[in-house]
Amino acid sequence: MTVLTGAVRYGQGNLPETNAEKTLSAGGFAATPAETGHWVSFEDDTVIQVTGVGPWNITYLDPRDDPRAAQR
C-alpha cells in the first residue's frame, strides 16, 4: 500500500492495537505478507494505492464496515 495523499494509521495483527500502529503520510509505503492480518484507519480524506499479486480478498473485522453488505 502506498499513501498518495493524506495519512493512514496502519498495523499488523488480527486485532487493532493502537500501541502497535504506525502513521504513514503521503509517500509512505507498507507491505504485508500473504495471510497476515492487518488494519488501516483514516481520519481525513486519503488516497491509497493497493498493489498485490492475486487472487486476494478483504475480510472486515466488523462486518458492518463492509460496503458490500449494503448491496445485499
Side-chain angles (χ1 to χ4, degrees):
M1 169 185 66
T2 304
V3 182
L4 302 178
T5 65
V8 174
R9 289 194 314 272
Y10 164 84
Q12 290 186 3
N14 291 329
L15 296 173
E17 297 178 38
T18 55
N19 61 346
E21 285 182 342
K22 296 178 183 170
T23 299
L24 303 171
S25 56
F29 171 82
T32 305
E35 304 294 324
T36 301
H38 61 281
W39 68 93
V40 296
S41 61
F42 311 90
E43 298 252 343
D44 295 311
D45 290 343
T46 301
V47 177
I48 61 172
Q49 174 180 314
V50 178
T51 306
V53 177
W56 60 281
N57 185 21
I58 296 175
T59 303
Y60 290 84
L61 293 175
D62 185 340
R64 294 174 295 179
D65 292 333
D66 187 344
R68 298 170 294 188
Q71 297 173 1
R72 296 181 192 149

